[in-house]
Amino acid sequence: MEFLPVFLRLRERAVLVVGGGKVALRKSELLARAGARLEVVAPQILPALEELALGSGGSVIREPFRADHLDQQVLVLVATGIEAVDLAVHGAARARRIPVNVADVPALCDFILPSILDRSPLIAAFSTGGNAPVLARRIRAQLETLLPAGIGRLAGFLGERRGRIRERVPDADLRLRVWEELVDGPVAERVMAGDEEGADVLLERQLETLKPGGEVFLVGAGPGDPDLLTFRALRLMQKCDVVLHDRLVSEAVLDLVRRDAERIYVGKRRGDHAVPQPDINQLLVDLAREGKRVLRLKGGDPFIFGRGGEEIEHLAAAGIPFQVVPGVSAANGCAAYAGIPLTHRDHAHSVRFVAGHLRGGTVDLDWSTLVQPRETLVFYMGRVGMPQICERLVGAGADPLTPVALVQQGTLPAQRVLVSTLQDMPALLARSDVHGPTLTIVGSVVSLHTRLSWFHPPRSPSHA
Ligand code: SAH
């Protein structure tokens, strides 16, 4: 993070603006909105800027900049358009440790002015760190359409009742819950609809019937690309108190979990079960009994080779409320991003998802039932089991020329697809540097990959 977003109180404080043109005017308007007293210094000053400065309780100085203009100022904005002057003002401000912003020169900025969405007292600020202000403005405009007009009123309403709520609910954790329910629930609806009286009645009722109860959200995090999360997954990720995640949940997805939620890593790499399954089951129950909202985040879909069923069986037996949110399973994600339709009128009329477990070095499956005409096979295993998958399928009667794909880190920037045949894949794999989770797709649909693939993640420098 190149800049830390903070919100600055400028009311009645003096801010120096060096420059008298349009850019200075645009930035000054923002400062004036925050109540700053504008002191504008420049040999020439636009009338509108002068009017703004005087209206803010400040003044204009029609002179070239001098260092003593910095006396008493809390911020400096520079927009002269003359590089030498910009640099001089920047140097003088730096010498006095006054934060300075030079318009359009990110390298000379101690602070930047973000794009602002103003529903005071609710304010959102967007910044690209000076890289692409137009992009920040575009995002602001998009979000603007999502925020109800009454949201500012809601912020004000809640602000006025903060003290009362703190008094009534002294426990901080519980209070956080109350706030969340207020923001998501009928009280908020009332306020935004303009009925504050009704909202107060509902608020009072809610404060009288407080009861914290834990629950568990068993959520599918998808195969890695955070864009593949469901809305509900995201909502629950933002509202949990603690998250239990494992190796398959990508960093990019974890980044979207509420910042202050406690994180518990529970494994599992092949063969290394960081936390044994029975302990995970028990941990979920224990945390929920403490009144926590527990997010159990699982790669892909929780009900596909995810042991989600076992976890909720435990919860049900313990009487803990839970909900299950499906996710995009690795088979679907990898297939879509590799351009391999799992079924296709001309190729396959069914698809089978197969878990590949390595037991004592062998993949333990009933191979003879796996060789079926017009069926695609997806093995939730790749690099390790591949030689056996190929050999055993051919042994059970599959055509050695049947196409096979191995998808590495599907849907992620490091996605890579190896395509070959049952006969040649083991040799290709032996020559390739494959890592991360991998998945195997077997069947003639794989031949469509070259025509239909669209996802070309940037190559990492090591491959360039
Ligand atoms: N519940 C998960 C599957 C868990 S089993 C789901 O629905 O996707 C774990 C296996 O899934 C891994 O060994 C690998 O074969 C596969 N897998 C998961 N994510 C993957 C990804 N991004 N790319 C390739 N394979 C993946």
Side-chain angles (χ1 to χ4, degrees):
M1 189 157 63
E2 194 63 27
F3 290 89
L4 176 73
V6 291
F7 292 85
L8 210 55
R9 190 191 297 282
L10 286 180
R11 199 152 295 282
E12 317 267 297
R13 321 280 302 266
V15 173
L16 184 70
V17 178
V18 185
K22 271 199 214 146
V23 179
L25 173 61
R26 189 156 37 79
K27 302 217 162 187
S28 298
E29 279 165 350
L30 210 53
L31 294 166
R33 252 164 71 188
R37 216 170 60 226
L38 300 171
E39 310 286 347
V40 182
V41 176
Q44 276 156 15
I45 297 170
L46 287 176
L49 182 51
E50 172 167 8
E51 196 179 310
L52 192 69
L54 299 180
S56 76
S59 59
V60 294
I61 309 173
R62 284 182 212 282
E63 297 172 0
F65 167 79
R66 288 192 320 268
D68 64 280
H69 291 141
L70 292 167
D71 293 349
Q72 315 298 327
Q73 309 290 341
V74 297
L75 282 183
V76 184
L77 257 133
V78 191
T80 69
I82 305 166
E83 201 184 332
V85 180
D86 282 354
L87 274 171
V89 182
H90 175 263
R94 268 284 169 90
R96 294 195 184 203
R97 309 254 191 287
I98 305 176
V100 55
N101 171 294
V102 179
D104 292 329
V105 193
L108 296 184
C109 288
D110 294 325
F111 66 94
I112 45 183
L113 293 173
S115 208
I116 293 172
L117 198 165
D118 187 356
R119 295 269 208 282
S120 286
L122 178 96
I123 292 174
F126 301 90
S127 156
T128 56
N131 288 290
V134 175
L135 182 62
R137 283 205 288 279
R138 172 68 47 84
I139 292 168
R140 183 210 52 206
Q142 283 169 352
L143 288 176
E144 199 141 44
T145 61
L146 291 179
L147 286 184
I151 200 99
R153 191 180 314 135
L154 176 61
F157 174 91
L158 295 173
E160 286 159 17
R161 283 147 189 83
R162 238 182 124 127
R164 182 166 130 216
I165 293 171
R166 183 174 306 134
E167 238 164 63
R168 295 281 299 272
V169 194
D171 179 78
D173 286 342
L174 185 54
R175 199 163 59 236
L176 186 61
R177 281 286 266 290
V178 169
W179 277 110
E180 282 168 357
E181 277 164 26
L182 284 179
V183 167
D184 291 335
V187 172
E189 292 301 334
R190 279 292 157 115
V191 178
M192 288 195 280
D195 176 14
E196 298 204 356
E197 217 170 294
D200 265 324
V201 173
L202 289 177
L203 170 61
E204 190 52 37
R205 207 175 293 161
Q206 189 169 331
L207 290 175
E208 273 163 18
T209 58
L210 288 175
K211 55 165 174 13
E215 56 184 322
V216 174
F217 314 132
L218 179 61
V219 172
D225 182 345
D227 270 8
L228 296 178
L229 285 169
T230 60
F231 287 124
R232 186 184 292 181
L234 191 61
R235 192 149 45 75
L236 297 178
M237 284 161 71
Q238 302 274 313
K239 131 173 190 186
C240 65
D241 302 307
V242 49
V243 52
L244 276 71
H245 61 97
D246 46 48
R247 184 181 59 94
L248 282 174
V249 176
S250 71
E251 280 301 314
V253 167
L254 266 184
D255 271 350
L256 297 173
V257 174
R258 184 163 126 192
R259 291 265 158 231
D260 47 2
E262 183 191 346
R263 283 161 199 239
I264 304 178
Y265 176 72
V266 293
K268 333 158 170 141
R269 224 169 292 273
R270 193 179 316 98
D272 127 50
H273 285 234
V275 178
Q277 189 66 45
D279 295 3
I280 297 177
N281 299 348
Q282 194 54 45
L283 194 54
L284 291 172
V285 170
D286 293 345
L287 289 166
R289 287 214 168 119
E290 286 170 28
K292 300 221 162 86
R293 285 160 305 177
V294 187
L295 175 72
R296 174 67 175 114
L297 199 55
K298 285 182 168 283
D301 180 274
F303 280 1
I304 293 187
F305 311 135
R307 305 189 73 167
E310 292 165 52
E311 293 176 7
I312 59 173
E313 249 175 72
H314 229 77
L315 295 170
I320 308 276
F322 59 86
Q323 53 174 300
V324 182
V325 182
V328 173
S329 191
N332 302 102
C334 291
Y337 280 49
I340 301 173
L342 294 177
T343 63
H344 188 289
R345 270 167 65 102
D346 304 333
H347 295 269
H349 293 175
S350 62
V351 53
R352 205 180 317 190
F353 292 177
V354 185
H357 290 299
L358 217 50
R359 274 206 200 92
T362 56
V363 186
D364 199 6
L365 287 168
D366 184 357
W367 298 99
S368 60
T369 68
L370 289 176
V371 182
Q372 302 288 342
R374 292 179 161 261
E375 181 165 82
T376 305
L377 295 174
V378 181
F379 291 89
Y380 279 67
M381 89 183 306
R383 145 180 69 100
V384 179
M386 182 66 86
Q388 284 197 47
I389 291 173
C390 294
E391 188 188 313
R392 296 302 203 94
L393 286 176
V394 172
D399 181 347
L401 297 180
T402 308
V404 189
L406 179 135
V407 184
Q408 160 194 293
Q409 299 185 53
T411 79
L412 287 162
Q415 173 175 310
R416 218 174 130 209
V417 186
L418 295 184
V419 173
S420 185
T421 58
L422 287 178
Q423 167 184 290
D424 295 331
M425 179 58 99
L428 171 62
L429 185 58
R431 305 194 290 276
S432 312
D433 170 28
V434 169
H435 46 265
T438 45
L439 181 110
T440 304
I441 305 177
V442 180
S444 80
V445 285
V446 171
S447 63
L448 298 167
H449 158 74
T450 33
R451 266 196 291 140
L452 303 184
S453 84
W454 59 273
F455 179 79
H456 302 286
R459 292 187 144 245
S460 65
S462 62
H463 290 116

